[in-house]
Amino acid sequence: SCLCGSAPCLLCGCCPSAKNSTISRLLFTFFLFLGTLVSIIMIIPGVEKELHKLPGFCEGSGSVLGVQTNVDCSSFLGHKAVYRMGFAMAAFFCLFAVLMVCVRSSRDPRAALQNGFWFFKFLVLVGITVGAFYIPDGAFTSVWFYFGVVGSFLFILIQLVLLIDLAHSWSQRWLRNADEGNAKGWYAALCTITFIFYAASIAALVLLYVYYTKPEGCTEGKAFISINLILCLIVSVVSILPKIQEAQPHSGLLQASLITLYTIYVTWSALANVPAQRCNPTLLLRNSTGSAAATEPLTTWWDAPSIVGLVIFILCTLFISLRCSDHPQVNKLMLTEESGTGAGAGAGAAEEDGVRRAYDNEQDGVSYNYTFFHLCLLLAALYIMMTLTNWYRPDESLQVLRSPWTAVWVKISSSWAGLLLYLWTLVAPLVLPDRDFS
Protein backbone atom coordinates (compact mmCIF):
# COMPACT_ATOMS: atom_id res chain seq x y z
CA SER A 1 0.00 0.00 0.00
CA CYS A 2 2.95 2.33 0.54
CA LEU A 3 3.88 1.98 -3.14
CA CYS A 4 0.38 2.75 -4.35
CA GLY A 5 -1.21 4.69 -1.50
CA SER A 6 -0.99 8.31 -0.44
CA ALA A 7 2.14 10.30 0.31
CA PRO A 8 1.79 10.20 4.13
CA CYS A 9 2.00 6.40 4.07
CA LEU A 10 5.51 6.56 2.64
CA LEU A 11 6.99 8.77 5.34
CA CYS A 12 4.59 8.37 8.25
CA GLY A 13 7.25 6.93 10.52
CA CYS A 14 9.89 9.61 10.09
CA CYS A 15 8.00 12.87 9.47
CA PRO A 16 6.17 13.97 12.64
CA SER A 17 3.11 16.12 11.84
CA ALA A 18 4.05 16.22 8.16
CA LYS A 19 1.53 17.63 5.72
CA ASN A 20 0.38 15.55 2.81
CA SER A 21 0.99 18.51 0.48
CA THR A 22 4.58 18.96 1.67
CA ILE A 23 5.48 15.29 1.30
CA SER A 24 4.02 15.15 -2.22
CA ARG A 25 6.04 18.18 -3.30
CA LEU A 26 9.19 16.70 -1.79
CA LEU A 27 8.71 13.40 -3.61
CA PHE A 28 8.14 15.10 -6.97
CA THR A 29 11.24 17.20 -6.29
CA PHE A 30 13.11 13.98 -5.53
CA PHE A 31 12.14 12.72 -9.00
CA LEU A 32 13.58 15.92 -10.47
CA PHE A 33 16.81 15.57 -8.50
CA LEU A 34 17.03 11.90 -9.49
CA GLY A 35 16.80 12.88 -13.16
CA THR A 36 19.43 15.56 -12.56
CA LEU A 37 21.75 12.98 -11.00
CA VAL A 38 21.30 10.68 -14.00
CA SER A 39 22.08 13.60 -16.32
CA ILE A 40 25.27 14.34 -14.39
CA ILE A 41 26.30 10.70 -14.64
CA MET A 42 25.67 10.80 -18.40
CA ILE A 43 28.33 13.48 -18.94
CA ILE A 44 31.03 11.64 -17.01
CA PRO A 45 33.63 10.69 -19.68
CA GLY A 46 33.66 6.97 -18.82
CA VAL A 47 29.88 6.68 -19.02
CA GLU A 48 29.73 8.92 -22.08
CA LYS A 49 31.81 6.48 -24.14
CA GLU A 50 29.34 3.69 -23.41
CA LEU A 51 26.50 5.69 -24.99
CA HIS A 52 27.82 4.64 -28.43
CA LYS A 53 25.91 1.40 -27.90
CA LEU A 54 22.51 3.11 -27.79
CA PRO A 55 20.59 3.10 -31.09
CA GLY A 56 19.95 6.43 -32.75
CA PHE A 57 22.91 8.12 -31.13
CA CYS A 58 25.89 8.02 -33.48
CA GLU A 59 27.01 7.37 -37.03
CA GLY A 60 25.28 4.37 -38.53
CA SER A 61 23.08 3.77 -35.51
CA GLY A 62 20.30 5.88 -37.02
CA SER A 63 19.72 3.19 -39.62
CA VAL A 64 18.18 1.03 -36.89
CA LEU A 65 15.19 3.36 -36.90
CA GLY A 66 15.22 3.82 -40.67
CA VAL A 67 16.97 7.19 -40.47
CA GLN A 68 20.40 7.62 -42.04
CA THR A 69 22.27 10.26 -40.07
CA ASN A 70 25.98 9.83 -41.02
CA VAL A 71 26.93 12.08 -38.11
CA ASP A 72 29.98 11.54 -35.93
CA CYS A 73 28.71 12.73 -32.58
CA SER A 74 31.55 11.32 -30.49
CA SER A 75 32.38 14.78 -29.20
CA PHE A 76 28.99 15.39 -27.58
CA LEU A 77 27.41 12.08 -26.62
CA GLY A 78 26.87 13.30 -23.07
CA HIS A 79 25.32 16.53 -24.40
CA LYS A 80 22.71 14.60 -26.36
CA ALA A 81 22.02 12.26 -23.42
CA VAL A 82 21.35 15.24 -21.12
CA TYR A 83 18.94 16.67 -23.71
CA ARG A 84 17.00 13.42 -23.83
CA MET A 85 16.91 13.18 -20.04
CA GLY A 86 15.70 16.79 -19.90
CA PHE A 87 13.00 15.97 -22.45
CA ALA A 88 11.86 12.99 -20.36
CA MET A 89 11.60 15.02 -17.15
CA ALA A 90 9.83 17.89 -18.93
CA ALA A 91 7.34 15.47 -20.52
CA PHE A 92 6.70 13.80 -17.14
CA PHE A 93 5.90 17.06 -15.36
CA CYS A 94 3.94 18.38 -18.35
CA LEU A 95 1.76 15.26 -18.16
CA PHE A 96 0.94 15.88 -14.51
CA ALA A 97 0.45 19.61 -15.08
CA VAL A 98 -2.28 18.76 -17.59
CA LEU A 99 -3.84 16.05 -15.40
CA MET A 100 -4.01 18.33 -12.34
CA VAL A 101 -5.77 21.29 -13.99
CA CYS A 102 -8.50 22.77 -11.73
CA VAL A 103 -8.03 20.37 -8.80
CA ARG A 104 -9.55 22.25 -5.84
CA SER A 105 -9.16 19.81 -2.93
CA SER A 106 -7.98 16.33 -2.08
CA ARG A 107 -11.57 15.15 -2.43
CA ASP A 108 -11.11 15.37 -6.20
CA PRO A 109 -10.34 11.85 -7.52
CA ARG A 110 -7.38 13.26 -9.47
CA ALA A 111 -5.78 14.36 -6.21
CA ALA A 112 -5.02 10.69 -5.55
CA LEU A 113 -2.76 10.76 -8.62
CA GLN A 114 -0.92 13.75 -7.14
CA ASN A 115 -0.48 12.29 -3.66
CA GLY A 116 -0.23 8.58 -4.35
CA PHE A 117 0.75 5.79 -6.75
CA TRP A 118 4.45 6.67 -6.41
CA PHE A 119 5.74 3.33 -7.63
CA PHE A 120 3.73 3.66 -10.85
CA LYS A 121 4.84 7.28 -11.25
CA PHE A 122 8.42 6.10 -11.09
CA LEU A 123 7.68 3.48 -13.74
CA VAL A 124 6.10 6.16 -15.96
CA LEU A 125 9.20 8.36 -15.59
CA VAL A 126 11.49 5.43 -16.43
CA GLY A 127 9.35 4.52 -19.44
CA ILE A 128 9.39 8.09 -20.80
CA THR A 129 13.17 8.24 -20.26
CA VAL A 130 13.78 4.99 -22.15
CA GLY A 131 11.54 6.17 -24.97
CA ALA A 132 13.38 9.51 -25.14
CA PHE A 133 16.67 7.73 -25.86
CA TYR A 134 15.07 6.15 -28.95
CA ILE A 135 14.16 9.51 -30.47
CA PRO A 136 15.92 9.72 -33.88
CA ASP A 137 18.81 12.14 -33.94
CA GLY A 138 17.81 14.37 -36.85
CA ALA A 139 16.90 17.89 -35.74
CA PHE A 140 15.81 16.92 -32.22
CA THR A 141 18.82 18.46 -30.43
CA SER A 142 18.66 21.70 -32.42
CA VAL A 143 14.90 22.15 -31.92
CA TRP A 144 14.90 21.16 -28.26
CA PHE A 145 17.66 23.72 -27.64
CA TYR A 146 15.16 26.54 -28.22
CA PHE A 147 12.62 24.94 -25.86
CA GLY A 148 15.39 24.81 -23.26
CA VAL A 149 16.28 28.47 -23.84
CA VAL A 150 12.69 29.67 -23.32
CA GLY A 151 12.09 27.43 -20.31
CA SER A 152 15.39 28.43 -18.70
CA PHE A 153 14.63 32.13 -19.14
CA LEU A 154 11.28 31.69 -17.38
CA PHE A 155 12.85 29.68 -14.56
CA ILE A 156 15.53 32.35 -14.09
CA LEU A 157 12.70 34.85 -13.61
CA ILE A 158 11.17 32.54 -10.97
CA GLN A 159 14.57 32.38 -9.29
CA LEU A 160 14.70 36.16 -9.25
CA VAL A 161 11.25 36.41 -7.65
CA LEU A 162 12.31 33.96 -4.94
CA LEU A 163 15.62 35.78 -4.42
CA ILE A 164 13.93 39.17 -4.05
CA ASP A 165 11.43 37.67 -1.62
CA LEU A 166 14.28 36.06 0.35
CA ALA A 167 16.14 39.37 0.53
CA HIS A 168 13.08 41.26 1.82
CA SER A 169 12.20 38.53 4.35
CA TRP A 170 15.80 38.36 5.56
CA SER A 171 16.03 42.10 6.15
CA GLN A 172 12.62 42.34 7.83
CA ARG A 173 13.37 39.48 10.21
CA TRP A 174 16.72 40.88 11.32
CA LEU A 175 15.32 44.40 11.76
CA ARG A 176 12.44 42.95 13.79
CA ASN A 177 14.94 41.13 15.99
CA ALA A 178 16.87 44.37 16.40
CA ASP A 179 13.72 46.14 17.62
CA GLU A 180 13.01 43.38 20.14
CA GLY A 181 16.46 43.36 21.72
CA ASN A 182 20.25 43.57 21.24
CA ALA A 183 19.89 46.14 18.49
CA LYS A 184 23.63 46.74 18.13
CA GLY A 185 24.34 43.07 17.42
CA TRP A 186 21.67 42.71 14.76
CA TYR A 187 22.58 45.99 13.06
CA ALA A 188 26.25 44.94 13.09
CA ALA A 189 25.29 41.64 11.46
CA LEU A 190 23.27 43.48 8.80
CA CYS A 191 26.19 45.80 8.04
CA THR A 192 28.67 42.92 7.94
CA ILE A 193 26.62 40.80 5.53
CA THR A 194 25.91 43.81 3.33
CA PHE A 195 29.60 44.71 3.24
CA ILE A 196 30.56 41.11 2.34
CA PHE A 197 28.04 41.02 -0.53
CA TYR A 198 29.20 44.33 -1.96
CA ALA A 199 32.87 43.45 -1.53
CA ALA A 200 32.35 40.14 -3.34
CA SER A 201 30.46 41.96 -6.11
CA ILE A 202 33.26 44.53 -6.57
CA ALA A 203 35.92 41.81 -6.62
CA ALA A 204 33.90 39.83 -9.17
CA LEU A 205 33.47 42.91 -11.36
CA VAL A 206 37.22 43.53 -11.37
CA LEU A 207 37.87 39.90 -12.34
CA LEU A 208 35.29 40.10 -15.13
CA TYR A 209 37.00 43.17 -16.58
CA VAL A 210 40.41 41.47 -16.31
CA TYR A 211 39.56 38.07 -17.78
CA TYR A 212 36.62 38.73 -20.12
CA THR A 213 37.66 42.02 -21.73
CA LYS A 214 40.71 43.30 -23.62
CA PRO A 215 42.02 46.85 -24.11
CA GLU A 216 41.04 46.54 -27.77
CA GLY A 217 37.90 44.73 -28.81
CA CYS A 218 35.51 42.67 -26.65
CA THR A 219 33.04 45.53 -26.90
CA GLU A 220 30.05 43.37 -25.97
CA GLY A 221 31.67 42.19 -22.75
CA LYS A 222 32.62 45.72 -21.71
CA ALA A 223 29.11 46.95 -22.46
CA PHE A 224 27.40 44.13 -20.52
CA ILE A 225 29.58 44.57 -17.43
CA SER A 226 29.31 48.37 -17.46
CA ILE A 227 25.54 48.43 -17.98
CA ASN A 228 24.91 45.99 -15.14
CA LEU A 229 27.31 47.91 -12.90
CA ILE A 230 25.38 51.14 -13.52
CA LEU A 231 22.02 49.41 -12.97
CA CYS A 232 23.25 47.88 -9.69
CA LEU A 233 24.38 51.31 -8.51
CA ILE A 234 20.98 52.77 -9.41
CA VAL A 235 18.96 50.16 -7.46
CA SER A 236 21.34 50.51 -4.49
CA VAL A 237 20.83 54.27 -4.36
CA VAL A 238 17.06 54.01 -4.88
CA SER A 239 16.74 51.48 -2.04
CA ILE A 240 17.90 54.07 0.54
CA LEU A 241 16.10 57.14 -0.77
CA PRO A 242 14.03 58.88 1.94
CA LYS A 243 10.71 58.45 0.12
CA ILE A 244 11.39 54.75 -0.45
CA GLN A 245 12.28 54.37 3.23
CA GLU A 246 9.02 56.06 4.23
CA ALA A 247 6.96 53.73 2.04
CA GLN A 248 9.00 50.64 2.95
CA PRO A 249 10.86 51.04 6.26
CA HIS A 250 12.44 47.58 5.92
CA SER A 251 13.97 48.34 2.52
CA GLY A 252 17.74 48.77 2.60
CA LEU A 253 21.14 47.88 1.27
CA LEU A 254 21.00 44.22 2.34
CA GLN A 255 18.44 43.44 -0.36
CA ALA A 256 20.27 45.58 -2.92
CA SER A 257 23.61 43.92 -2.14
CA LEU A 258 22.16 40.42 -2.58
CA ILE A 259 20.50 41.37 -5.88
CA THR A 260 23.75 42.98 -7.00
CA LEU A 261 25.75 39.85 -6.23
CA TYR A 262 23.29 37.65 -8.12
CA THR A 263 23.31 40.06 -11.07
CA ILE A 264 27.10 39.86 -11.24
CA TYR A 265 26.86 36.07 -11.21
CA VAL A 266 24.39 36.09 -14.13
CA THR A 267 26.70 38.49 -15.99
CA TRP A 268 29.62 36.13 -15.41
CA SER A 269 27.55 33.20 -16.64
CA ALA A 270 26.61 35.16 -19.78
CA LEU A 271 30.22 36.15 -20.52
CA ALA A 272 31.25 32.51 -20.14
CA ASN A 273 29.06 31.81 -23.21
CA VAL A 274 30.57 34.50 -25.47
CA PRO A 275 31.67 32.53 -28.57
CA ALA A 276 34.77 34.69 -29.22
CA GLN A 277 37.76 32.82 -27.83
CA ARG A 278 39.78 36.03 -27.42
CA CYS A 279 37.16 37.46 -25.05
CA ASN A 280 36.30 34.20 -23.27
CA PRO A 281 39.27 32.36 -21.73
CA THR A 282 37.10 29.40 -20.70
CA LEU A 283 35.74 28.72 -24.19
CA LEU A 284 38.51 26.31 -25.29
CA LEU A 285 37.87 23.97 -22.38
CA ARG A 286 34.38 23.23 -23.68
CA ASN A 287 34.94 23.36 -27.42
CA SER A 288 36.34 20.64 -29.65
CA THR A 289 37.64 22.96 -32.37
CA GLY A 290 40.91 24.11 -30.83
CA SER A 291 44.30 22.56 -31.47
CA ALA A 292 44.45 21.30 -27.91
CA ALA A 293 41.35 19.23 -28.60
CA ALA A 294 42.31 18.09 -32.09
CA THR A 295 43.26 14.58 -31.04
CA GLU A 296 40.68 13.97 -28.35
CA PRO A 297 37.49 16.07 -28.07
CA LEU A 298 36.98 17.56 -24.65
CA THR A 299 33.57 17.55 -23.01
CA THR A 300 34.45 19.27 -19.76
CA TRP A 301 31.15 20.64 -18.50
CA TRP A 302 32.21 21.32 -14.91
CA ASP A 303 33.03 25.00 -15.17
CA ALA A 304 32.47 27.34 -12.24
CA PRO A 305 29.31 29.10 -13.57
CA SER A 306 27.60 25.74 -14.07
CA ILE A 307 28.46 24.56 -10.57
CA VAL A 308 27.10 27.78 -9.02
CA GLY A 309 24.02 27.50 -11.23
CA LEU A 310 23.48 23.91 -10.05
CA VAL A 311 23.63 24.99 -6.40
CA ILE A 312 21.17 27.86 -6.99
CA PHE A 313 18.86 25.46 -8.87
CA ILE A 314 18.81 23.04 -5.92
CA LEU A 315 18.10 25.78 -3.37
CA CYS A 316 15.33 27.39 -5.42
CA THR A 317 13.66 24.06 -6.16
CA LEU A 318 13.65 23.16 -2.47
CA PHE A 319 12.27 26.64 -1.73
CA ILE A 320 9.37 25.99 -4.14
CA SER A 321 8.72 22.60 -2.52
CA LEU A 322 9.01 23.43 1.18
CA ARG A 323 8.34 27.03 1.99
CA CYS A 324 5.58 29.57 1.70
CA SER A 325 6.59 33.20 1.52
CA ASP A 326 6.17 35.74 4.30
CA HIS A 327 4.68 38.13 1.72
CA PRO A 328 1.08 37.68 0.50
CA GLN A 329 1.97 39.18 -2.89
CA VAL A 330 4.58 36.47 -3.52
CA ASN A 331 2.16 33.77 -2.40
CA LYS A 332 -0.41 35.05 -4.88
CA LEU A 333 2.20 35.03 -7.63
CA MET A 334 3.48 31.54 -6.75
CA LEU A 335 -0.08 30.30 -6.04
CA THR A 336 0.80 28.89 -2.63
CA GLU A 337 -0.89 29.07 0.74
CA GLU A 338 -0.30 32.03 3.06
CA SER A 339 -0.79 29.98 6.20
CA GLY A 340 -1.90 26.52 7.23
CA THR A 341 -5.00 26.57 5.01
CA GLY A 342 -6.91 23.33 5.14
CA ALA A 343 -4.67 21.83 7.82
CA GLY A 344 -7.32 21.77 10.47
CA ALA A 345 -9.18 18.80 9.05
CA GLY A 346 -6.22 16.46 9.29
CA ALA A 347 -4.36 17.84 12.28
CA GLY A 348 -6.60 16.08 14.74
CA ALA A 349 -5.99 12.71 13.13
CA ALA A 350 -2.27 13.31 13.29
CA GLU A 351 -2.44 14.06 17.02
CA GLU A 352 -4.76 11.20 17.91
CA ASP A 353 -2.74 8.50 16.20
CA GLY A 354 0.77 8.13 17.56
CA VAL A 355 2.00 6.21 14.52
CA ARG A 356 0.32 7.94 11.58
CA ARG A 357 1.83 11.39 12.08
CA ALA A 358 1.46 12.55 8.48
CA TYR A 359 -1.98 13.83 7.55
CA ASP A 360 -4.08 15.14 4.69
CA ASN A 361 -4.29 18.93 5.02
CA GLU A 362 -6.09 19.58 1.73
CA GLN A 363 -9.58 18.18 2.28
CA ASP A 364 -11.08 21.67 2.39
CA GLY A 365 -8.83 23.13 -0.30
CA VAL A 366 -5.42 22.61 -1.87
CA SER A 367 -2.53 24.47 -0.23
CA TYR A 368 -0.76 25.04 -3.55
CA ASN A 369 -1.72 25.00 -7.21
CA TYR A 370 -0.88 21.53 -8.51
CA THR A 371 -0.59 22.58 -12.15
CA PHE A 372 1.61 25.60 -11.42
CA PHE A 373 3.88 23.48 -9.22
CA HIS A 374 4.43 20.97 -12.02
CA LEU A 375 5.04 23.79 -14.50
CA CYS A 376 7.74 25.13 -12.16
CA LEU A 377 9.38 21.70 -12.08
CA LEU A 378 9.07 21.48 -15.87
CA LEU A 379 10.92 24.80 -16.22
CA ALA A 380 13.45 23.64 -13.64
CA ALA A 381 14.12 20.50 -15.71
CA LEU A 382 14.77 22.63 -18.80
CA TYR A 383 17.00 24.99 -16.79
CA ILE A 384 19.16 22.19 -15.40
CA MET A 385 19.38 20.66 -18.89
CA MET A 386 20.80 23.91 -20.24
CA THR A 387 23.05 24.41 -17.21
CA LEU A 388 24.65 20.97 -17.47
CA THR A 389 25.35 21.51 -21.17
CA ASN A 390 26.53 25.12 -20.64
CA TRP A 391 23.92 26.29 -23.17
CA TYR A 392 26.05 24.85 -25.99
CA ARG A 393 24.53 23.55 -29.21
CA PRO A 394 25.86 21.63 -32.25
CA ASP A 395 26.91 23.69 -35.27
CA GLU A 396 25.55 23.27 -38.81
CA SER A 397 27.65 20.15 -39.40
CA LEU A 398 26.27 18.56 -36.21
CA GLN A 399 29.84 17.56 -35.30
CA VAL A 400 31.09 20.45 -33.14
CA LEU A 401 29.56 22.04 -30.06
CA ARG A 402 29.56 25.82 -30.07
CA SER A 403 28.33 28.48 -27.68
CA PRO A 404 25.71 30.63 -29.45
CA TRP A 405 25.04 34.31 -28.85
CA THR A 406 21.48 33.28 -28.01
CA ALA A 407 22.63 32.01 -24.61
CA VAL A 408 24.49 35.26 -23.92
CA TRP A 409 21.52 37.48 -24.70
CA VAL A 410 19.04 35.34 -22.76
CA LYS A 411 21.18 35.48 -19.62
CA ILE A 412 21.90 39.20 -19.92
CA SER A 413 18.21 39.90 -20.55
CA SER A 414 17.28 37.90 -17.46
CA SER A 415 19.69 39.98 -15.36
CA TRP A 416 18.07 43.19 -16.62
CA ALA A 417 14.61 41.76 -15.97
CA GLY A 418 15.64 40.90 -12.42
CA LEU A 419 16.97 44.38 -11.69
CA LEU A 420 13.82 45.99 -13.11
CA LEU A 421 11.68 43.62 -11.05
CA TYR A 422 13.53 44.54 -7.87
CA LEU A 423 13.29 48.23 -8.74
CA TRP A 424 9.55 47.80 -9.16
CA THR A 425 9.25 46.29 -5.66
CA LEU A 426 10.87 49.48 -4.35
CA VAL A 427 8.82 52.07 -6.21
CA ALA A 428 5.48 50.21 -6.41
CA PRO A 429 4.16 51.63 -3.09
CA LEU A 430 4.79 55.15 -4.44
CA VAL A 431 3.32 54.50 -7.88
CA LEU A 432 0.27 52.66 -6.51
CA PRO A 433 -0.41 54.26 -3.11
CA ASP A 434 -3.91 52.74 -2.82
CA ARG A 435 -2.60 49.17 -2.76
CA ASP A 436 -1.39 47.35 0.34
CA PHE A 437 2.26 46.26 -0.02
CA SER A 438 2.83 45.43 3.63
Side-chain angles (χ1 to χ4, degrees):
S1 62
C2 282
L3 293 177
C4 306
S6 63
C9 179
L10 291 175
L11 301 176
C12 60
C14 57
C15 291
S17 299
K19 299 177 182 178
N20 188 51
S21 59
T22 302
I23 297 176
S24 295
R25 282 182 284 182
L26 282 176
L27 290 175
F28 275 112
T29 304
F30 170 75
F31 282 176
L32 177 63
F33 288 166
L34 182 63
T36 302
L37 179 61
V38 173
S39 299
I40 294 174
I41 294 175
M42 291 290 185
I43 56 179
I44 296 176
V47 177
E48 188 178 20
K49 294 179 181 178
E50 297 298 320
L51 296 176
H52 279 280
K53 302 176 182 178
L54 294 177
F57 247 58
C58 276
E59 183 178 4
S61 60
S63 60
V64 176
L65 300 173
V67 179
Q68 297 292 338
T69 58
N70 297 322
V71 174
D72 182 13
C73 63
S74 59
S75 62
F76 55 98
L77 278 172
H79 178 279
K80 296 173 64 177
V82 171
Y83 267 48
R84 280 162 170 76
M85 194 67 221
F87 173 82
M89 291 191 293
F92 176 78
F93 292 119
C94 181
L95 173 64
F96 278 92
V98 173
L99 291 176
M100 297 297 122
V101 171
C102 295
V103 174
R104 303 301 183 187
S105 71
S106 60
R107 301 179 190 276
D108 191 310
R110 290 176 295 167
L113 295 176
Q114 173 77 4
N115 300 316
F117 301 98
W118 296 101
F119 177 70
F120 295 103
K121 290 176 184 174
F122 178 74
L123 291 182
V124 170
L125 179 59
V126 171
I128 296 176
T129 302
V130 173
F133 278 84
Y134 281 88
I135 296 176
D137 205 10
F140 170 77
T141 303
S142 300
V143 173
W144 192 241
F145 169 82
Y146 291 103
F147 280 91
V149 166
V150 175
S152 299
F153 178 80
L154 295 176
F155 187 74
I156 289 175
L157 293 183
I158 292 176
Q159 284 184 340
L160 292 166
V161 171
L162 299 179
L163 185 68
I164 293 171
D165 174 54
L166 172 64
H168 282 298
S169 299
W170 187 355
S171 178
Q172 288 182 14
R173 189 163 301 177
W174 281 22
L175 290 175
R176 191 182 306 120
N177 292 338
D179 294 336
E180 294 175 356
N182 193 16
K184 291 184 178 180
W186 287 108
Y187 284 125
L190 274 172
C191 294
T192 302
I193 296 297
T194 302
F195 173 79
I196 291 174
F197 285 164
Y198 274 123
S201 300
I202 294 172
L205 279 170
V206 172
L207 292 175
L208 290 181
Y209 274 117
V210 171
Y211 288 100
Y212 290 93
T213 63
K214 300 294 181 183
E216 298 180 359
C218 301
T219 306
E220 296 87 354
K222 295 176 183 177
F224 292 151
I225 300 173
S226 301
I227 291 174
N228 281 355
L229 172 60
I230 294 172
L231 292 176
C232 289
L233 289 174
I234 291 175
V235 297
S236 297
V237 171
V238 170
S239 67
I240 56 175
L241 291 177
K243 288 189 176 181
I244 299 296
Q245 291 291 310
E246 291 177 7
Q248 297 196 66
H250 294 291
S251 174
L253 290 177
L254 176 63
Q255 299 95 312
S257 64
L258 182 58
I259 299 301
T260 297
L261 185 60
Y262 183 79
T263 300
I264 301 305
Y265 156 70
V266 176
T267 306
W268 173 36
S269 179
L271 294 176
N273 277 109
V274 172
Q277 183 177 334
R278 182 172 177 271
C279 304
N280 184 2
T282 62
L283 186 65
L284 182 61
L285 296 176
R286 299 168 293 171
N287 202 329
S288 60
T289 59
S291 58
T295 57
E296 183 179 356
L298 297 178
T299 53
T300 304
W301 305 109
W302 302 103
D303 63 340
S306 295
I307 294 175
V308 176
L310 180 63
V311 173
I312 295 175
F313 153 79
I314 293 174
L315 295 178
C316 287
T317 307
L318 288 176
F319 187 99
I320 294 171
S321 302
L322 288 174
R323 183 178 178 273
C324 293
S325 173
D326 295 334
H327 296 84
Q329 298 296 331
V330 177
N331 284 319
K332 290 178 181 178
L333 178 63
M334 300 300 293
L335 302 178
T336 55
E337 61 184 356
E338 295 182 18
S339 59
T341 304
E351 294 175 357
E352 293 175 1
D353 193 336
V355 178
R356 185 178 177 272
R357 293 174 293 185
Y359 58 91
D360 181 5
N361 65 314
E362 298 181 305
Q363 293 182 6
D364 296 330
V366 295
S367 61
Y368 64 101
N369 186 291
Y370 290 171
T371 296
F372 186 79
F373 171 72
H374 288 297
L375 288 178
C376 286
L377 294 187
L378 186 157
L379 298 178
L382 295 176
Y383 172 81
I384 198 60
M385 177 188 77
M386 300 302 293
T387 300
L388 292 179
T389 58
N390 284 311
W391 297 65
Y392 276 40
R393 60 172 299 186
D395 64 353
E396 292 77 7
S397 65
L398 299 179
Q399 295 184 356
V400 177
L401 285 175
R402 298 187 185 277
S403 178
W405 276 104
T406 305
V408 180
W409 282 107
V410 167
K411 292 181 179 181
I412 286 295
S413 300
S414 67
S415 69
W416 295 339
L419 289 170
L420 292 176
L421 186 61
Y422 173 63
L423 185 62
W424 171 250
T425 65
L426 296 176
V427 302
L430 300 178
V431 178
L432 302 173
D434 296 332
R435 294 188 58 181
D436 181 16
F437 290 94
S438 58

